[in-house]
Amino acid sequence: MAATRSDADPGLFGPDSVTWQAHGDPMMWIAGIRALYLQALHPRAVRGVTQNSDFRRDAWGRLMRTAGFVGTTTYGTTEDAERAGARVRKIHRMLGATDPGTGERYGIDEPALLMWVHCAEIGSYLHVLRRSGYPLTDAHADRYLAEHRHSARLVGLDPAAVPADRAGLAAYFARTRRELAAGPEAHEVDDFLRDPPVPALLVPARALLWRRVAHLAYDSLPAYAHELYGRPAPPPDTVTRRLRRTGAALRGIPARLRWQLPPKHILGAMDRLGPAARPGPHRLGR
């Protein structure tokens, strides 16, 4: 296979990174929904969403903006990624939330809140990909987490403070567990994800596709999340089998067809760097 173009900007991660390969997998969509469920369990963090946006009416737009940010920071140029990060930091600086119990007003760019959102997101990506059969070894997983100190910096975190391996991430979740609760905002997110409002023409698709995806994302959460939400999940082995079946089915769709969906970041990266930049598990051993 031809080498990538050496004169083109590979971006923050580049074609030799674990991130470049993993983020091209279709199970990232289910992982993203799992991240939303997990993020909503931090009361201070979820208020930053519910008090600053009408996510019920713009949930799809919000999801696409998040996907766009991940795609840009993964496959865009360095300039594109830095510009996207600066835009996110600017928005966060302008927004705050209020604790309804104490009346405290706080900024949503507090490092502790940014850290939770980051770890819940990156941890969900890694968890769903590995559990669904994507071939990431323990060493790959640690490399992936270390690479995402880049994305943490973009949203305003000190990279040195961000977990850079599986042990660090597990320790972070163990420390943060006592801060989590399923308050009214978390249940609002849960209700929405289970039954989002859609136009009448899309109601059959919601029943056929979306609910299955959302249920699978929820079922893949850790046991403490199920306890907080108050809804049980199937046995872990059952969930793992469903994740693997879903992963196999989605990965059976030709990548070039999947990548035609907007915003087409992967195709843009391959145009910029050459066909050898094509992401996939075949590159992980390099």
Side-chain angles (χ1 to χ4, degrees), residues 48-215:
V49 175
T50 59
Q51 294 184 15
N52 287 286
S53 65
D54 188 353
F55 77 94
R56 280 190 163 275
R57 285 196 294 187
D58 190 34
W60 181 249
R62 182 178 180 81
L63 187 62
M64 290 303 295
R65 286 191 293 273
T66 299
F69 179 79
V70 173
T72 297
T73 56
T74 303
Y75 299 111
T77 65
T78 303
E79 181 181 358
D80 289 338
E82 295 290 349
R83 187 183 300 116
R87 184 164 55 249
V88 167
R89 294 193 303 274
K90 179 180 179 181
I91 292 171
H92 285 173
R93 282 196 300 269
M94 296 187 298
L95 300 178
T98 302
D99 185 321
T102 65
E104 175 198 5
R105 183 73 178 171
Y106 57 90
I108 68 171
D109 62 349
E110 287 183 353
L113 304 186
L114 296 177
M115 183 72 79
W116 170 252
V117 171
H118 171 82
C119 289
E121 179 179 326
I122 299 305
S124 290
Y125 294 162
L126 189 58
H127 178 89
V128 169
L129 288 175
R130 298 190 79 188
R131 198 172 173 187
S132 66
Y134 194 85
L136 292 174
T137 65
D138 289 348
H140 290 141
D142 286 344
R143 274 184 57 196
Y144 177 81
L145 293 170
E147 288 169 3
H148 276 278
R149 287 183 163 184
H150 284 303
S151 59
R153 175 186 60 80
L154 288 179
V155 299
L157 285 165
D158 174 7
V162 176
D165 56 27
R166 289 168 297 122
L169 185 65
Y172 168 78
F173 281 126
R175 291 194 306 271
T176 310
R177 169 68 181 85
R178 63 181 181 273
E179 301 175 27
L180 306 182
E185 296 91 349
H187 285 293
E188 187 177 359
V189 171
D190 181 26
D191 290 343
F192 172 81
L193 289 174
R194 284 194 290 166
D195 195 26
V198 296
L201 288 176
L202 295 181
V203 168
R206 179 180 61 185
L208 181 64
L209 297 175
W210 176 262
R211 286 176 182 163
R212 294 184 181 184
V213 169
H215 288 170

